[in-house]
Amino acid sequence: MSIAKDLLIADKESFKFRLERLKEIKSLYLWKRDVDLLLFGGFSASFAISEIPNAYINGNFLSCICLVQIFFEHTLSSAFCMQGEDEIAEASFAKILDECKTNKIISDDFAEKLDELRRIRNSYTHFHVGLNKRSLMKRMLDSSIVIDDLLIRDAWFALNLISDFFETQTS
């Protein structure tokens, strides 16, 4: 069997799944309409925002979560960079969120949601032993959701954050 034929078979087998994910993402504010965006997060934010829909549609949910956090970290850091606050711009995401709240760049409520995204992302990207409160296993057991469904739920949470961010910025 040729590589091209394998790819065509895989495309056909995953079509319904990808179509459902496309419908879901098109229901969100950011992707409901064609919109030109002025982004301040540099190349990384631009790459992330363009790759997020494809990651979700193709079932790369962990990639989707990471890309959303990349977008926010670079976008929020750029606000401090433009003010000459390079030390803050290069700080951890937790520190950037604290500074954003202090400087009223984002609301406390939205900062808390982004901090939840940070904790979600950390449970996937940092190793934690056993049932450490920050571990993925602990999150799965606490939520009573199987890991695949938890990953999808986490990606959907991340997508909604980015859509809400653009809705509040463009309304």
Side-chain angles (χ1 to χ4, degrees):
M1 200 177 298
S2 73
I3 294 173
K5 189 171 182 178
D6 288 346
L7 184 58
L8 287 171
I9 291 169
D11 278 347
K12 184 176 180 180
E13 289 174 354
S14 67
F15 179 79
K16 287 181 183 177
F17 171 83
R18 289 180 291 127
L19 182 59
E20 279 305 307
R21 297 292 175 248
L22 177 60
K23 289 176 185 175
E24 289 173 4
I25 210 164
K26 288 287 190 179
S27 74
L28 297 173
Y29 175 81
L30 179 58
W31 294 285
K32 275 184 185 175
R33 57 196 172 79
D34 291 330
V35 61
D36 289 326
L37 300 173
L38 178 60
L39 302 175
F40 293 99
F43 293 122
S44 293
S46 180
F47 294 149
I49 199 75
S50 68
E51 291 182 18
I52 289 166
N54 286 329
Y56 187 77
I57 290 164
N58 286 297
N60 299 315
F61 302 116
L62 181 55
S63 296
C64 183
I65 294 163
C66 292
L67 287 165
V68 170
Q69 204 223 302
I70 289 167
F71 171 79
F72 279 116
E73 187 166 336
H74 283 261
T75 298
L76 297 175
S77 290
S78 70
F80 296 105
C81 183
M82 286 187 271
Q83 296 172 11
E85 300 283 348
D86 293 352
E87 189 173 320
I88 297 170
E90 294 181 347
S92 68
F93 193 47
K95 173 73 172 158
I96 292 165
L97 291 176
D98 287 342
E99 292 292 333
C100 283
K101 286 192 304 189
T102 300
N103 291 283
K104 306 280 189 238
I105 293 171
I106 55 175
S107 70
D108 289 352
D109 180 56
F110 197 70
E112 186 54 42
K113 289 176 183 176
L114 289 177
D115 194 52
E116 176 64 16
L117 173 65
R118 181 189 66 79
R119 290 189 301 270
I120 288 169
R121 192 273 334 244
N122 284 351
S123 72
Y124 291 103
T125 60
H126 298 290
F127 183 82
H128 300 288
V129 177
L131 295 179
N132 177 304
K133 68 179 182 177
R134 297 177 296 170
S135 76
L136 183 57
M137 182 65 72
K138 178 75 168 136
R139 288 186 60 237
M140 184 184 72
L141 291 173
D142 286 350
S143 69
S144 300
I145 298 174
V146 295
I147 192 64
D148 292 347
D149 292 340
L150 181 62
L151 180 59
I152 293 168
R153 185 185 80 177
D154 290 342
W156 189 246
F157 172 78
L159 283 172
N160 276 278
L161 283 177
I162 206 160
S163 187
D164 291 350
F165 176 76
F166 280 104
E167 187 169 12
T168 59
Q169 298 302 312
T170 59
S171 296

